[in-house]
Amino acid sequence: METLTEAQKLLQRGEISSRELTQQALNQISALDGKLHAFLHVDGDSALEQADAADQKRKSAPEPVSPLLGIPLAVKDVIVVEGMPCTCGSRILQGYRPPFTATAVKRLQAAGMIVLGKTNTDEFAMGSSTENSAYGVTHNPWDLTRVPGGSSGGSAAAVAAGLVPAALGTDTGGSIRQPASFCGVTGLKPTYGRVSRYGLVAYGSSLDCPGPFGRSAADVAAVFSAMQGRDPLDATSQDVPFAMNFPLAHRERAGVREKDVETATTLQGVKIGIPKEYFISGIQPEVEEKVRTAILSLKELGAEIHEVSLPHTEYALPVYYLLAPAEASANLARFDGVRYGPRVEGDSMWDVFYKTRGEKFGDEVTRRIMLGTYALSAGYYDAFYGQAQKVRTLIKRDFEQVFAKVDAIACPVAPTAAFKIGAHGDDPLAMYLEDVFTLPANLAGVPGLAFPVGFDQAGLPVGMQLMGRHFDEAALFRLAHAYQQVTDWHLAKPGIS
Amino acid sequence: MNYEPVIGLEVHIEMLTKSKMFCSCPVVDSVSAEPNSAVCPICAGHPGTLPVLNETVVDFALRVATALGCRINPVSIFARKNYFYPDLPKGYQISQYEEPLAVEGQIFIGEKLIRIRRVHLEEDTGKLTHVDGRGTAESAENPVESQNRRAPTGGYSLVDLNRAGVPLLEIVTEPDFHSAEDVRAYAELLRALVRYLGVNSGDLEKGVMRVEPNISVRPVGTETLGTKVEIKNLNSFRALERGVAYEISRQIQLIEAGGAVAQETVGWDEAKQSTYSQRSKEDAHDYRYFPEPDLPPLVVSESWMNRVRASLPELPWERYKRFRADYGLNHGEAWGLVSEKAAGEYFQSVLGAGGGAVRTVYAWVTGELFSLMNTSGYGFESGKLPPQEMAALLKLLADGKINQNTAKNVLAEMFASGASAESIVAARGLAQVSDAGFIAQIVAETLRENPHELESYRAGKVTVANFLFGQVMKKAAGKANPQVVRAELERRLKE
């Protein structure tokens, strides 16, 4: 499967039809998804129908068509798409068919993208490995014995294995960036409020962000620009124009146009901060090494590198694990078996609630609901939820202070490369530590972009994270794109594909 | 020992905006509408949906809060109130907790000051109907009421979400009431207010306004508050007054007998005219309130507040004062016309259209016309019988063109046919006759026909005059001017 940018060119030149592209994706899914289990649902017939319509439109349209017309897309199964089931990786929504489509997906559909199916996720996006999916784990395309990361593991694996050129995920504490890193793809957690949450099944409402996966920063930027923007159906979405004020020139496989590359890669005047709190002991040495090498590359492209400090970083994890579960405890209260989803019958109304929720929610979801309920309880609220909100403010302030001095922050995405399936089996805390470098961006609401910067000795991708100012995704794209003009990591394909 | 009741009130008022609080579903009559006919994924709590605040809701709420003299919080926040119940689709109710829309208002019941503690916005829940094994349906209006009740054996419960997400205003007073009468008066005043502001019909019977008193008693002269009991299920003003009176005397009797009041929620049983325990303090919920992350803080700008202030109509208590001062109405008369807003406005319009003296207009509007409006099922707001028509009728009466009795008959016909007073009087020849020659003639005739009565009068039995007067009027088919008749009769009798 081509990258999205390549596919766009082939479509524009008429060298491939949307039907061929879509069929190719469906064939890849048939061939590989038995091993990967990236998808929970695929709707080939509908996709091919839409592809034909897209081809028709391309032929008949007098003016230039949308650059995304006829390009297949996979959607994480916590985002609703009318006509497809939405399980959220949970038994409690088995068979649920949502009556509407999420705004972000609607916008991409309006731009011509074709939703092929729904991808695997940790149950209700709670997890860092997709092992918490009620429908089985997704396997990492680079090593099938390893996790793809999570919770958007299905989407990351699908893009990495070349099943689709782009996919949507959601990021509440790192759920786009960490699987992007584990699978060697590019993934963006947008600014909170940049992409509508309408149609994203809520986990931590003040943290949740839908965002795209692609092979490159250019691919991700193309999808992002079509899905972002204020939505009257999401009161927390904001109206801030998105503009790419630099040339996203694409290096073609043959015949690099040196001048374009130079324009696109000049990072003169860009200031990048390296937070010392993100290079801690316990981090896999190769991860640190690859990230530091990538930072040097950015420096060579003209960026200034500064050491910065985000002193409250160590509190991000405890703050997150109070706030996100607290919000989740309320967000998941609606799953009671009364209006939709399966119901476990009981002797009384309360019995129905207890049994339905008790039997249909998995362990991690149950754990977080209990954590959150406790954090909000009378007598504990001030010490837990209330205190966490105060510390969240301090974490936000850390970022404000740093972003007064630098344009972006560069750091690892996760402390390690992809771990083995089952490695954190009975240790939720070890799993929580996976998110230690990604949580702060969610707490601060700033954008974060993850992209591959090399491989460890086991041949597993290593990712780097760039964080930026609120609504300044463009800065992140610019940096990652410049880097991807002079490196090939993002083009590497796993053996399985 | 003498006891003093101390009562605070929580009143929930549905705001009859066109659409619900957080979605575009219409607000429908939850009694008459087909169940679940005004429901969408948002108010049904489907996963992935989000609330977006309907600004008209805030406007309505600001009208009430401003009328109550509250301090409006320039920034208020929404909160989630968490509890499970099948009529609560999201498993939490969006309400306001720490920073409500408005605080510190006031209202007067006569001379008594009632302090308003807070006014906040929240969404209503759906409605449950329990159907027992025999198929008998029983509405369970209040979640708390049936909180611990299981669906009856062999039965089931029906959920209607039409009301889910309908905007509610909660108005909480300080414990400033000391009698059931004042509680009722407050509730009636509040009903008048929401009607004046166009927020709601104020129908307790339909549950669009729900009054929940918190009652405690203490020995007169002491300051410490006693243990409070909350009453729910008070579905009329009568039930409200009786329920409060009942609870006051129950608590006093309990304490006199050496017992102690338990903190609980009780329900009012209309059939038994008594309260029953619904929920004890131990069952009280921990609602785990926290700020609603899906809604940004609600910012009410100075200009918004000014706009609301400028848009307020004459308020019930202002009109009451004016009616008393300008028209000389007594308390009962003025309050009657204020609380029946349409009748009061009709009364004013008739006066304005030249209906004549205040007393006459008052007597006709609240007497004959009121009963016609009531028995016919029309109301003063229906547009039936425009006030100008009524004024024209009263003018005929004042000018002596028709007499009192004729006026009543003409009014009935105007009401039935819609014809004007003048045309009815003309068509049926009902105009009053004051012609002296004609009246002298029928008086003479009557005296001639009743020589016996004339004799008894002259023998000193003066009451016979009334009989003779009646005979004259009868002869004139009720149209003769009674004053002229009386004068002529008197003159002749004294000859």
Side-chain angles (χ1 to χ4, degrees):
Chain A
M1 168 69 58
E2 292 77 7
T3 67
L4 187 143
T5 312
E6 288 162 0
Q8 280 177 331
K9 284 192 182 127
L10 295 177
L11 284 167
Q12 275 157 16
R13 292 194 201 117
E15 288 169 25
I16 194 171
S17 68
S18 176
R19 172 171 263 273
E20 285 163 339
L21 194 63
T22 305
Q23 190 59 61
Q24 205 183 95
L26 293 170
N27 292 347
Q28 283 288 93
I29 292 169
S30 304
L32 300 178
D33 206 42
K35 291 178 203 160
L36 293 171
H37 192 47
F39 280 87
L40 292 179
H41 177 81
V42 177
D43 191 345
D45 291 343
S46 159
L48 289 171
E49 230 170 78
Q50 292 172 62
D52 287 341
D55 286 332
Q56 201 54 47
K57 190 168 181 184
R58 190 178 293 280
K59 265 182 228 150
S60 57
E63 63 267 14
V65 292
S66 153
L68 294 174
L69 179 66
I71 294 179
L73 176 77
V75 176
K76 184 184 184 181
D77 204 25
V78 295
I79 300 174
V80 299
V81 179
E82 197 175 352
M84 291 186 182
C86 184
T87 67
C88 296
S90 180
R91 297 270 174 228
I92 210 159
L93 278 177
Q94 195 159 22
Y96 173 68
R97 293 217 160 231
F100 66 101
T101 296
T103 299
V105 175
K106 250 189 180 163
R107 288 183 176 172
L108 293 175
Q109 286 174 329
M113 292 197 93
I114 296 163
V115 179
L116 284 191
K118 307 294 291 289
T119 55
N120 202 8
T121 168
D122 285 295
E123 186 175 4
F124 287 104
M126 297 180 191
S128 308
S129 67
T130 73
E131 290 171 293
N132 295 334
S133 168
Y135 303 100
V137 66
T138 296
H139 299 262
N140 190 314
W142 294 92
D143 177 349
L144 296 176
T145 67
R146 292 179 185 266
V147 302
S151 63
S152 313
S155 285
V159 172
L163 307 186
V164 281
L168 297 188
T170 64
D171 192 315
T172 307
S175 281
I176 288 175
R177 290 161 287 160
Q178 184 254 20
S181 176
F182 278 18
C183 291
V185 298
T186 304
L188 173 75
K189 177 210 108 66
T191 308
Y192 184 82
R194 174 66 100 168
V195 177
S196 170
R197 290 184 295 118
Y198 191 75
L200 154 59
V201 180
Y203 155 30
S205 308
S206 73
L207 305 155
D208 294 339
C209 294
F213 287 96
R215 295 286 294 283
S216 65
D219 290 4
V220 169
V223 178
F224 168 73
S225 68
M227 70 192 281
Q228 58 84 38
R230 159 129 182 95
D231 176 12
L233 294 175
D234 176 359
T236 62
S237 68
Q238 306 264 328
D239 190 12
V240 180
F242 169 71
M244 296 291 297
N245 51 3
F246 61 96
L248 259 184
H250 304 302
R251 180 169 57 172
E252 298 186 34
R253 300 309 293 151
V256 181
R257 292 168 58 194
E258 289 299 338
K259 192 167 167 290
D260 282 355
V261 172
E262 199 184 307
T263 322
T265 55
T266 295
L267 296 180
Q268 218 69 52
V270 178
K271 296 190 183 103
I272 299 174
I274 312 300
K276 56 179 188 230
E277 292 83 1
Y278 284 62
F279 294 86
I280 49 172
S281 64
I283 189 169
Q284 186 183 331
E286 289 162 288
V287 168
E288 176 163 357
E289 182 201 318
K290 302 294 169 198
V291 170
R292 291 217 184 263
T293 306
I295 291 169
L296 278 181
S297 301
L298 293 172
K299 191 178 177 187
E300 281 165 18
L301 290 167
E304 286 175 32
I305 309 297
H306 299 269
E307 183 168 289
V308 295
S309 173
L310 296 158
H312 296 94
T313 300
E314 61 173 312
Y315 302 111
L317 191 86
V319 165
Y320 176 87
Y321 279 101
L322 287 169
L323 298 184
E327 292 177 5
S329 72
N331 284 330
L332 273 61
R334 69 188 64 199
F335 304 108
D336 55 9
V338 173
R339 292 165 309 282
Y340 43 74
R343 176 189 302 172
V344 182
E345 294 297 345
D347 296 336
S348 69
M349 181 189 88
W350 293 107
D351 206 30
V352 170
F353 287 173
Y354 295 143
K355 284 188 170 148
T356 302
R357 291 171 64 79
E359 292 178 23
K360 300 297 180 184
F361 280 139
D363 289 347
E364 184 58 28
V365 170
T366 306
R367 184 179 296 123
R368 294 197 195 185
I369 290 174
M370 289 171 71
L371 263 175
T373 304
Y374 189 75
L376 291 171
S377 298
Y380 299 98
Y381 180 94
D382 289 343
F384 295 132
Y385 183 86
Q387 188 65 16
Q389 283 291 21
K390 287 181 197 155
V391 180
R392 182 178 187 175
T393 307
L394 297 177
I395 291 169
K396 280 183 191 168
R397 205 165 296 158
D398 279 359
F399 279 94
E400 281 163 20
Q401 283 163 0
V402 167
F403 283 129
K405 290 177 253 166
V406 299
D407 303 303
I409 292 169
C411 61
V413 179
T416 64
F419 50 86
K420 290 272 189 188
I421 291 169
H424 295 328
D426 291 326
D427 190 354
L429 273 182
M431 192 74 91
Y432 294 174
L433 283 167
E434 281 301 319
D435 300 331
V436 66
F437 298 145
T438 47
L439 299 171
N442 297 84
L443 293 169
V446 300
L449 184 73
F451 55 98
V453 292
F455 291 86
D456 72 0
Q457 284 176 351
L460 298 169
V462 170
M464 179 163 89
Q465 174 176 219
L466 292 171
M467 291 183 275
R469 297 187 182 102
H470 284 119
F471 296 100
D472 196 8
E473 288 85 358
L476 309 184
F477 286 134
R478 179 183 179 188
L479 289 168
H481 181 65
Y483 178 82
Q484 287 175 347
Q485 298 310 296
V486 296
T487 58
D488 274 337
W489 306 115
H490 63 294
L491 297 173
K493 288 180 180 173
I496 188 174
S497 57
Chain B
M1 198 186 292
N2 281 329
Y3 290 88
E4 172 194 46
V6 180
I7 306 159
L9 292 183
E10 282 174 26
V11 180
H12 284 92
I13 295 167
E14 277 186 7
M15 288 182 279
L16 301 182
T17 45
K18 281 201 191 80
S19 50
K20 291 186 181 181
M21 191 160 176
F22 299 118
C23 63
S24 55
C25 284
V27 172
V28 296
D29 186 326
S30 67
V31 178
S32 63
E34 174 78 8
N36 296 310
S37 58
V39 178
C40 73
I42 297 173
C43 56
H46 271 262
T49 56
L50 294 171
V52 174
L53 182 61
N54 173 356
E55 287 211 346
T56 311
V57 167
V58 184
D59 222 75
F60 275 40
L62 286 174
R63 289 162 77 85
V64 177
T66 307
L68 291 172
C70 290
R71 184 162 62 75
I72 310 290
N73 272 327
V75 178
S76 65
I77 56 174
F78 289 95
R80 292 185 182 177
K81 178 181 181 179
N82 297 285
Y83 65 92
F84 284 99
Y85 209 67
D87 63 9
L88 189 66
K90 297 188 293 296
Y92 57 84
Q93 178 188 30
I94 301 178
S95 180
Q96 293 193 301
Y97 187 58
E98 277 186 344
E99 296 291 337
L101 180 74
V103 294
E104 295 166 13
Q106 57 180 41
I107 193 171
F108 282 90
I109 305 300
E111 299 298 309
K112 292 173 205 158
L113 168 70
I114 305 298
R115 292 167 299 158
I116 308 290
R117 181 181 294 170
R118 56 186 278 145
V119 174
H120 76 243
L121 292 161
E122 61 187 29
E123 58 178 335
D124 211 344
T125 63
K127 215 168 64 173
L128 287 191
T129 306
H130 298 309
V131 183
D132 68 19
R134 298 183 304 276
T136 312
E138 179 201 353
S139 165
E141 259 303 319
N142 197 310
V144 181
E145 180 189 335
S146 44
Q147 195 72 270
N148 296 312
R149 194 187 296 174
R150 292 176 169 196
T153 314
Y156 52 90
S157 296
L158 298 167
V159 185
D160 176 8
L161 296 180
N162 280 349
R163 212 180 60 184
V166 167
L168 277 182
L169 194 64
E170 181 171 335
I171 302 171
V172 184
T173 73
E174 297 292 345
D176 288 349
F177 297 93
H178 302 289
S179 75
E181 295 73 33
D182 283 353
V183 167
R184 180 180 181 150
Y186 168 81
E188 286 180 343
L189 190 53
L190 217 50
R191 174 179 68 169
L193 177 65
V194 296
R195 285 180 172 177
Y196 275 53
L197 297 176
V199 162
N200 174 305
S201 66
D203 284 336
L204 268 64
E205 291 77 4
K206 280 189 173 174
V208 296
M209 175 169 155
R210 311 193 271 273
V211 185
E212 286 153 12
N214 278 289
I215 301 168
S216 63
V217 298
R218 65 183 175 197
V220 169
T222 60
E223 287 297 315
T224 324
L225 290 169
T227 307
K228 67 179 179 183
V229 171
E230 181 174 350
I231 316 182
K232 289 182 181 282
N233 207 26
L234 296 162
N235 295 328
S236 67
F237 289 107
R238 214 175 62 149
L240 174 64
E241 189 172 349
R242 291 190 178 181
V244 171
Y246 174 89
E247 183 56 31
I248 293 169
S249 62
R250 185 189 73 87
Q251 289 187 18
I252 294 173
Q253 279 171 28
L254 189 64
I255 294 168
E256 299 256 271
V261 175
Q263 187 175 333
E264 61 181 339
T265 300
V266 299
W268 174 248
D269 187 327
E270 186 64 37
K272 291 186 187 151
Q273 294 283 302
S274 64
T275 55
Y276 60 93
S277 181
Q278 283 185 338
R279 189 172 62 154
S280 70
K281 188 192 177 188
E282 288 69 41
D283 299 330
H285 279 98
D286 176 2
Y287 289 119
R288 306 187 308 280
Y289 284 99
F290 72 100
E292 166 57 280
D294 288 334
L295 292 168
L298 170 58
V299 178
V300 180
S301 64
E302 193 65 41
S303 64
W304 193 354
M305 282 187 240
N306 289 339
R307 221 159 46 235
V308 168
R309 221 170 282 139
S311 77
L312 288 187
E314 184 180 38
L315 299 174
W317 42 89
E318 292 165 351
R319 182 170 292 178
Y320 170 84
K321 276 186 195 152
R322 184 166 61 82
F323 276 16
R324 294 208 60 178
D326 291 6
Y327 303 138
L329 299 178
N330 68 28
H331 165 76
E333 291 167 344
W335 174 242
L337 286 179
V338 166
S339 65
E340 295 295 334
K341 179 170 177 258
E345 275 157 11
Y346 192 96
F347 164 75
Q348 290 192 96
S349 303
V350 175
L351 277 175
V358 168
R359 294 315 313 174
T360 311
V361 173
Y362 178 82
W364 279 84
V365 169
T366 62
E368 203 66 23
L369 184 59
F370 194 87
S371 68
L372 274 173
M373 288 286 186
N374 265 355
T375 51
S376 66
Y378 290 99
F380 281 97
E381 66 284 355
S382 67
K384 181 87 180 164
L385 196 70
Q388 296 73 18
E389 299 286 320
M390 186 67 196
L393 173 70
L394 294 181
K395 195 162 186 321
L396 290 178
L397 179 65
D399 294 349
K401 301 256 171 65
I402 54 172
N403 64 36
Q404 189 90 7
N405 260 329
T406 306
K408 279 185 189 173
N409 296 334
V410 171
L411 176 59
E413 194 167 331
M414 288 166 76
F415 201 83
S417 70
S420 72
E422 285 87 348
S423 67
I424 294 169
V425 168
R428 300 202 10 216
L430 295 173
Q432 179 167 269
V433 180
S434 304
D435 179 73
F438 169 73
I439 288 173
Q441 190 189 330
I442 54 169
V443 168
E445 268 174 37
T446 305
L447 292 178
R448 223 170 22 246
E449 285 159 16
N450 297 281
H452 182 69
E453 281 72 16
L454 181 60
E455 209 165 297
S456 1
Y457 179 88
R458 287 183 173 151
K461 203 175 172 194
V462 289
T463 50
V464 173
N466 284 334
F467 169 78
L468 290 168
F469 174 76
Q471 292 302 304
V472 175
M473 291 305 284
K474 200 170 159 190
K475 197 177 273 288
K479 291 185 287 184
N481 184 325
Q483 272 102 40
V484 181
V485 170
R486 216 171 266 288
E488 173 65 9
L489 188 60
E490 207 163 307
R491 191 182 65 78
R492 289 293 307 273
L493 286 172
K494 285 179 179 162
E495 265 179 354

